Amino acid sequence: NNDIENDYDVIIVGSGAGAMTAAIFAADQGNSVLIVEKSDKYGGTSAISGGGIWIPNNDEFKALGGTDSEESALTYIKAASAGSAAESRIRTYIKNAPKMLRELQANSRVKYAVAEKYPDYYQHLEGSLPGGRSMDPELFDTTGLGDEIEHQQPASGNTLLMGKMAWTARQAHKAVAKERGWMLMIIGLMLRYKLDFKQRKKGRRDRRAGLGGSLVASLRHSVLDRKIPLWRSTEFTDFVITDDKVTGIKVLRDGQELTLNARYGVIMGSGGFEQNQQLREKYLPHPTQQAWSATPKGCNTGAALEAGQKLGAATDLLDWCWWAPTLKVPKEQSARGLFAERAFPGAIVVDGLGKRFFNEAAPYLEFGDAMYRNHQKTGNSIPSWVVFDSHFRHEYAMGPLMPGKIMPDSRAPKAWRDSVYWKADTLEALSELINVDATGLAATVTKMNGYAKTGIDEEFQRGGNVFDRYYGDTSVKPNPCLAPIEKGPFYAMKIHPGDIGTKGGLLTNDFGQVVRPSGEAITGLYAIGNCSSSVMGTSYPGAGATIGPAMTFGYVAANHISANR
Ligand code: FAD
């Protein structure tokens, strides 16, 4: 095809946050760049995510008077990852993450603020901070993107206020924690949305994008500013190899096979393999289901992993996901993650024996992992059940159910009854409905009601640290994460050990280059984001610990390519 340019300095596969960040830096360093994206929508999981990035020692926190250092970040990540990732890569991350963000914000439309109160996930580890490392995108006005925004992976319902209005993570937290002024803030957000008559005539989509939608839209706009071509519906199928070096890729574009040449490098940013049931069964703990993943359907099917393995690349952490307990909502394409709600006071998670098995307020990776570990022991926690009473139902959200005071059962979609939530007048009747041991559940609830009184969860120390309490209700005393379950009717929701992406993949070195088992780099080949094995190893140190590294190693890879041109 004569109209198509086949030769580029750098080709980037995938259009998530890491990929577009790499494209921007590579282009600004004087490279001709092409982005290819398999889906007809750009943005991948990054676009439907919270868009948080975990950047230790960032400028914004220090500007607010915060204290952080490379040393404490290193101590913390090393303790969290416990030898499951190379120290030199961790050091590279810590050095480059604040630089990446500084340069990206100075030269592109991306804009972040520090989420000062968002604690690191492992408060018991040395070097953790009670806030200041997780960064939250500012709202982004998508008007300048024109029709291109229609081709962005649409935000998932649970990242939007009432399923339609954009907000930041800081605003969402203010509402959940019912901080001073939260009602006024919500009214302000609603008015801004409703009074945008021009946009309302067009449809439901908010003119402003928040969270991952903001990050990806601002990156996409910055990619457009640089006239970097982004080909949607173009699927990477394999590498082109010349003299043991990667010199290009093969793609399928509109059913046509093309060979594209990359003079200086190919950067794989094509996500993990969570949407590939066969690969899940091959590598992940069992049972495992693609349908439990909260990632966009059909996007990330392990293309980089399979092509890399053929080349002889080393891999690591293939049995790990960024776990998150998820539930299915009819008509929604992906499962929904339960990130915050488990910490709200008055909800517990039990297995088939009606027993709690972990601190419900723990980070989602640890909770998903605990579901597997308990299942291996008892055979009874996949699925598990979130149980709460009518007081909880009235006050708090759980999955797609907004608090009953806003969305009573009578206003929730009928199809959700007995598919999203189960309901019965007594705990005993509820146990029967969901096939959970009634005696076990009754005993668990009695114990929890005692802990709620004393404020001490004697089994799992729920609410025992600042991370647990981040999503607690400060008006509940003595422990903002503990409340009794006593007022019928009672509710249950079914959860699975889902994921927000796989965590293992091609092993890379300090420059983002894919390596062979010997440690030798494969010239011309870089991998970032979830197609590479995570720099965090088996850990999830804080909110943004997946996208922060994806963007940072995108920056590192672009720098390495340009320096070695
Ligand atoms: P993606 O963003 O998924 O991009 C990969 C792209 O590659 C996709 O568009 C895909 O279609 C494309 N692709 C795949 N195969 C091919 C092929 N063969 N050829 C061409 N293109 C291909 N993480 C955080 O750090 N902070 C958060 O706040 C956060 N919140 C989250 C909230 C939710 C609800 C979810 C689901 C996830 C969240 N995550 C968060 C996780 C995070 O979104 C992902 O880990 C991250 O976006 C993965 O980035 P990636 O670039 O590897 O993949």
Side-chain angles (χ1 to χ4, degrees):
N1 189 326
N2 294 333
D3 313 337
I4 289 177
E5 171 64 52
N6 293 74
D7 298 318
Y8 298 88
D9 292 337
V10 181
I11 297 178
I12 296 171
V13 180
S15 61
M20 286 205 278
T21 300
I24 289 167
F25 283 110
D28 286 357
Q29 291 157 358
N31 297 289
S32 63
V33 178
L34 170 70
I35 304 173
V36 297
E37 165 57 52
K38 159 178 145 181
S39 160
D40 62 347
K41 301 261 189 313
Y42 68 85
T45 311
S46 305
I48 70 161
S49 76
I53 54 175
W54 191 74
I55 310 286
N57 206 26
N58 67 72
D59 298 347
E60 285 74 7
F61 184 45
K62 287 186 187 156
L64 294 174
T67 310
D68 196 359
S69 69
E70 289 186 4
E71 298 73 58
S72 70
L74 181 66
T75 304
Y76 177 58
I77 304 178
K78 275 175 69 181
S81 57
S84 57
E87 179 170 337
S88 63
R89 276 178 78 208
I90 299 173
R91 285 181 186 272
T92 305
Y93 180 61
I94 294 170
K95 263 229 152 1
N96 285 279
K99 272 169 57 185
M100 176 281 295
L101 187 62
R102 189 180 309 137
E103 290 178 33
L104 190 65
Q105 297 202 115
N107 299 308
S108 78
R109 295 175 186 268
V110 173
K111 188 90 197 83
Y112 270 90
V114 62
E116 258 184 296
K117 293 182 194 156
Y118 209 147
D120 289 343
Y121 286 177
Y122 310 125
Q123 286 297 312
H124 60 289
L125 295 182
E126 196 186 338
S128 66
L129 288 186
R133 287 175 175 159
S134 290
M135 316 274 303
D136 176 30
E138 297 287 16
L139 294 181
F140 183 73
D141 186 339
T142 63
T143 314
L145 270 171
D147 290 342
E148 184 61 14
I149 189 69
E150 306 301 337
H151 301 301
Q152 180 164 317
Q153 199 65 250
S156 56
N158 56 342
T159 58
L160 297 166
L161 172 59
M162 294 176 196
K164 53 189 179 188
M165 290 168 257
W167 55 353
T168 66
R170 284 153 294 147
Q171 288 169 326
H173 178 251
K174 182 169 176 159
V176 167
K178 298 190 187 128
E179 279 175 12
R180 230 180 123 106
W182 73 277
M183 266 291 201
L184 266 180
M185 178 195 76
I186 298 275
I187 292 167
L189 287 169
M190 287 171 68
L191 281 177
R192 191 206 63 206
Y193 179 86
K194 283 213 171 355
L195 299 178
D196 186 355
F197 299 119
K198 222 168 144 191
Q199 185 70 16
R200 289 295 66 74
K201 262 198 218 145
K202 287 195 198 159
R204 259 169 82 93
R205 192 179 55 73
D206 196 336
R207 176 189 302 277
R208 287 180 181 72
L211 307 168
S214 161
L215 170 60
V216 165
S218 60
L219 284 168
R220 180 71 188 101
H221 202 155
S222 309
V223 162
L224 276 175
D225 290 339
R226 288 159 173 81
K227 303 196 170 51
I228 301 169
L230 188 164
W231 296 354
R232 290 181 287 107
S233 305
T234 303
E235 181 177 3
F236 158 89
T237 54
D238 211 346
F239 298 112
V240 177
I241 318 288
T242 321
D243 298 336
D244 264 0
K245 293 179 192 150
V246 171
T247 55
I249 60 169
K250 293 197 174 125
V251 297
L252 268 179
R253 192 186 191 201
D254 302 326
Q256 196 193 356
E257 191 170 291
L258 298 175
T259 298
L260 304 170
N261 305 313
R263 264 180 294 269
Y264 304 124
V266 170
I267 303 178
M268 297 304 291
S270 55
F273 61 86
E274 67 275 1
Q275 287 290 326
N276 184 329
Q277 182 63 22
Q278 265 180 339
L279 290 184
R280 290 186 79 102
E281 281 170 20
K282 185 165 173 190
Y283 294 117
L284 298 178
H286 288 204
T288 184
Q289 283 296 327
Q290 189 180 333
W292 300 342
S293 179
T295 63
K297 218 171 173 174
C299 275
N300 299 337
T301 50
L305 176 67
E306 292 190 304
Q309 283 174 326
K310 254 184 13 194
L311 257 187
T315 58
D316 200 11
L317 301 174
L318 291 181
D319 53 346
W320 274 86
C321 280
W322 303 101
W323 304 115
T326 60
L327 54 81
K328 250 346 239 178
V329 181
K331 292 197 188 143
E332 291 190 0
Q333 71 150 338
S334 311
R336 285 204 189 206
L338 282 190
F339 299 108
E341 301 95 312
R342 289 167 290 117
F344 300 168
I348 53 170
V349 178
V350 296
D351 60 15
L353 303 173
K355 283 191 179 155
R356 293 173 71 217
F357 51 90
F358 207 61
N359 171 6
E360 289 86 348
Y364 30 101
L365 176 132
E366 274 67 27
F367 200 87
D369 186 43
M371 287 175 77
Y372 273 111
R373 278 189 286 116
N374 189 57
H375 193 73
Q376 279 149 9
K377 262 199 314 223
T378 66
N380 245 321
S381 53
I382 300 179
S384 294
W385 297 88
V386 188
V387 174
F388 47 93
D389 72 356
S390 60
H391 173 72
F392 182 99
R393 173 74 187 91
H394 184 259
E395 284 299 312
Y396 307 104
M398 181 57 80
L401 281 180
M402 288 293 101
K405 56 191 172 191
I406 302 169
M407 183 200 269
D409 293 348
S410 57
R411 288 188 52 200
K414 279 210 173 64
W416 289 2
R417 183 85 190 251
D418 299 333
S419 70
V420 172
Y421 72 94
W422 284 256
K423 177 181 174 184
D425 287 335
T426 63
L427 273 174
E428 204 175 356
L430 185 71
S431 308
E432 197 165 316
L433 206 54
I434 60 176
N435 200 18
V436 160
D437 184 80
T439 321
L441 181 62
T444 300
V445 166
T446 305
K447 273 198 254 178
M448 176 46 87
N449 293 353
Y451 305 156
K453 260 196 206 114
T454 61
I456 295 169
D457 168 6
E458 286 169 21
E459 289 161 288
F460 302 107
Q461 291 75 47
R462 171 170 165 181
N465 68 60
V466 59
F467 171 74
D468 284 14
R469 292 194 294 272
Y470 182 67
Y471 288 119
D473 181 342
T474 47
S475 69
V476 170
K477 304 264 171 353
N479 182 330
C481 300
L482 299 181
I485 300 165
E486 51 195 6
K487 190 165 170 258
F490 298 92
Y491 293 80
M493 283 180 169
K494 192 194 319 197
I495 57 172
H496 287 104
D499 62 83
I500 56 173
T502 49
K503 199 181 209 306
L506 304 176
L507 187 65
T508 55
N509 65 14
D510 298 355
F511 307 110
Q513 292 176 290
V514 176
V515 298
R516 301 181 195 278
S518 64
E520 176 207 1
I522 299 174
T523 307
L525 182 58
Y526 297 78
I528 62 173
N530 291 347
C531 69
S532 63
S533 142
S534 172
V535 64
M536 302 302 172
T538 56
S539 75
Y540 203 141
T546 93
I547 299 178
M551 292 169 72
T552 301
F553 281 100
Y555 167 75
V556 167
N559 289 344
H560 191 255
I561 290 173
S562 301
N564 291 283
R565 220 165 12 192

